[in-house]
Amino acid sequence: EMKRSVVGKLCIGASASVPAAESLRLGENKSQKSEKFRVGVLGASGYTGSEIIRLLVHHPNYQITLMTADRKAGQSIASVFPHLVNQELPNMIAVKDADFSAVDAVFCCLPHGTTQEIIKALPRNIKIVDLSADFRLKDVDEYEEWYGQPHKAQELQKEAVYGLTEIHRVEIKSARLVANPGCYPTSVQLPLIPLIKENLIRVNDIIIDSKSGVSGAGRGAKEANLYTEVAEGIHSYGISRHRHVPEIEQALSEIAKSKVIISFTPHLMPMSRGMQSTIYVEMAPGATAEDLHRHLTNFYENEEFVVLLNGSEVPQTRHVRGSNYCLMNVFPDRIRGRAIIISVIDNLVKGASGQALQNMNLMMGVEETAGLLSVSLFP
């Protein structure tokens, strides 16, 4: 009998005997799952690009056949990321020189505003997961308002599926283009969507305090990201105007079937990776923090990558570092009728490249958890 641990959700045992017909079926599935898909990584020289590569190099179903990085064209990946020196990978090339007939799927890890025309020009047979913000907002006018430029692929925007995996799994499976969620929205939506759907919290008074490692700001050279600028302190930014606000509000409003407006403030922390969202909510009349915890536990009971902690256990970013897991817990506030939800992820994995791979696995018809079951790094 298959057994699963309550916290880790990992298989710890299996039956010793398998009927012959079942054994044959399992053998056929194994053969299917061993199929190799050719994968391209656009923007391989950035943090999310390198994280995608790290996750793909030992993946049983993917082979990286194309990597682009315009400013690093002609260079090996080891010259940019020495930790990948022992991997046999193609040299990086400029996007304009890429032969997309040699790939089945593409991870687009380019900055927002640079991907729309590139993706629009890709062959229709290629599956795409876009890690930028370019296809996350359904309203192209809202995109222009928050990102300061008109959307250049409006027809393609209508096709894009929002890739919060645990919530939109069915749509993702049949999608050609998936808009991978932002890191902050992932940490916020995973706990809030089930609670709003079940009418356990009020939607007119949601306060979100989020903190991220510096890698969330990207790899570009910026004065604000220098060590002496971020070390030994906390830096609030994007106060009341962070670009992830419309993405969060869009998802919560769809579930609530009414306009949801949140109060959201992000902070930069002096650490490389990790993200915590502390969410303050007013509960529906009669609801308790225990009700919220119970519903989230039931909602995510069969999900590998979302784990509800028990009792007074506090989720910590160090416990998800390098993994695709989201840990969360619910606490009663000292103010009657309110609760505090804490959610933690690795901003580069579940908040970006890990969730992108989870989505691509679904799109390509392979095991959803493949390549993503690594245990967190600690200490």
Side-chain angles (χ1 to χ4, degrees):
E1 181 183 0
M2 300 296 289
K3 297 181 180 179
R4 297 167 69 85
S5 70
V6 174
V7 176
K9 300 188 179 180
L10 301 174
C11 173
I12 58 173
S15 60
S17 61
V18 180
E22 180 71 3
S23 179
L24 179 60
R25 185 184 65 79
L26 291 173
E28 290 173 352
N29 287 343
K30 184 177 181 180
S31 175
Q32 290 175 350
K33 292 179 181 179
S34 66
E35 179 182 358
K36 287 279 188 179
F37 296 103
R38 302 164 300 172
V39 174
V41 179
L42 310 187
S45 61
Y47 287 139
T48 55
S50 71
E51 198 73 352
I52 282 285
I53 295 167
R54 180 180 74 87
L55 296 171
L56 287 177
V57 289
H58 295 303
H59 195 290
N61 302 102
Y62 301 127
Q63 178 184 1
I64 300 174
T65 57
L66 171 70
M67 297 192 300
T68 75
D70 285 3
R71 288 180 295 175
K72 305 288 185 181
Q75 297 185 34
S76 68
I77 193 67
S79 67
V80 179
F81 294 111
H83 70 289
L84 297 171
V85 68
N86 63 333
Q87 304 300 323
E88 294 184 8
L89 296 166
N91 285 347
M92 293 174 287
I93 61 175
V95 172
K96 64 180 180 62
D97 297 324
D99 177 11
F100 289 106
S101 67
V103 296
D104 303 301
V106 162
F107 292 96
C108 192
C109 306
L110 298 168
H112 68 265
T114 64
T115 65
Q116 297 157 26
E117 292 181 303
I118 292 173
I119 290 177
K120 186 166 62 172
L122 292 176
R124 293 286 303 177
N125 64 303
I126 292 179
K127 301 280 190 178
I128 306 159
V129 176
D130 180 29
L131 282 80
S132 81
D134 281 359
F135 293 96
R136 294 173 188 163
L137 299 182
K138 295 181 179 180
D139 187 336
V140 292
D141 293 330
E142 192 168 38
Y143 174 86
E144 183 173 356
E145 176 189 346
W146 286 86
Y147 288 89
Q149 56 190 358
H151 202 285
K152 299 174 183 177
Q154 296 188 20
E155 288 303 312
L156 199 56
Q157 172 61 53
K158 299 174 184 177
E159 178 187 346
V161 172
Y162 188 65
L164 190 64
T165 319
E166 285 77 11
I167 305 300
H168 300 294
R169 180 175 285 114
V170 174
E171 299 94 324
I172 292 166
K173 284 182 178 180
S174 58
R176 186 184 76 92
L177 168 61
V178 165
N180 212 58
C183 46
Y184 286 126
T186 296
S187 68
V188 170
Q189 292 176 52
L190 285 174
L192 287 186
I193 284 178
L195 299 179
I196 292 175
K197 191 173 184 179
E198 194 66 13
N199 296 313
L200 287 171
I201 61 173
R202 295 184 178 273
V203 298
N204 58 350
D205 188 20
I206 298 174
I207 302 169
I208 304 163
D209 181 305
S210 293
K211 298 174 175 63
S212 174
V214 183
S215 59
R219 205 181 185 209
K222 304 170 189 173
E223 182 179 296
N225 295 345
L226 294 173
Y227 177 81
T228 49
E229 303 289 331
V230 299
E232 302 177 31
I234 301 174
H235 174 203
S236 302
Y237 67 102
I239 301 171
S240 80
R241 286 295 299 174
H242 192 277
R243 287 168 169 171
H244 282 169
V245 166
E247 182 182 344
I248 297 171
E249 291 182 345
Q250 172 181 268
L252 300 188
S253 298
E254 287 178 355
I255 295 297
K257 295 181 172 55
S258 63
K259 181 61 178 176
V260 176
I261 299 176
I262 60 169
S263 179
F264 172 75
T265 304
H267 306 78
L268 203 62
M269 301 297 290
M271 59 187 185
S272 295
R273 60 167 80 203
M275 175 167 288
Q276 174 174 314
S277 286
T278 304
I279 307 167
Y280 304 87
V281 298
E282 182 181 354
M283 293 178 285
T288 66
E290 290 76 16
D291 294 331
L292 271 58
H293 185 280
R294 186 181 306 109
H295 180 66
L296 287 171
T297 299
N298 293 337
F299 189 91
Y300 289 116
E301 181 180 11
N302 296 316
E303 294 292 347
E304 175 63 45
F305 297 118
V306 182
V307 179
L308 269 293
L309 301 185
N310 295 316
S312 60
E313 290 182 274
V314 180
Q316 300 180 39
T317 58
R318 62 171 58 89
H319 295 157
V320 293
R321 190 169 186 266
S323 82
N324 197 52
Y325 286 86
C326 172
L327 306 185
M328 62 178 76
N329 205 349
V330 182
F331 303 89
D333 198 336
R334 59 185 294 268
I335 302 174
R336 186 182 298 275
R338 298 189 66 89
I340 301 169
I341 305 166
I342 298 178
S343 167
V344 297
I345 61 173
D346 185 315
N347 59 293
L348 288 179
V349 191
K350 186 59 172 170
S353 303
Q355 185 161 219
L357 179 54
Q358 194 177 349
N359 287 327
M360 187 63 81
N361 285 342
L362 285 171
M363 296 164 74
M364 302 306 288
V366 302
E367 178 60 44
E368 180 181 330
T369 61
L372 292 169
L373 292 174
S374 297
V375 177
S376 305
L377 301 172
F378 185 84

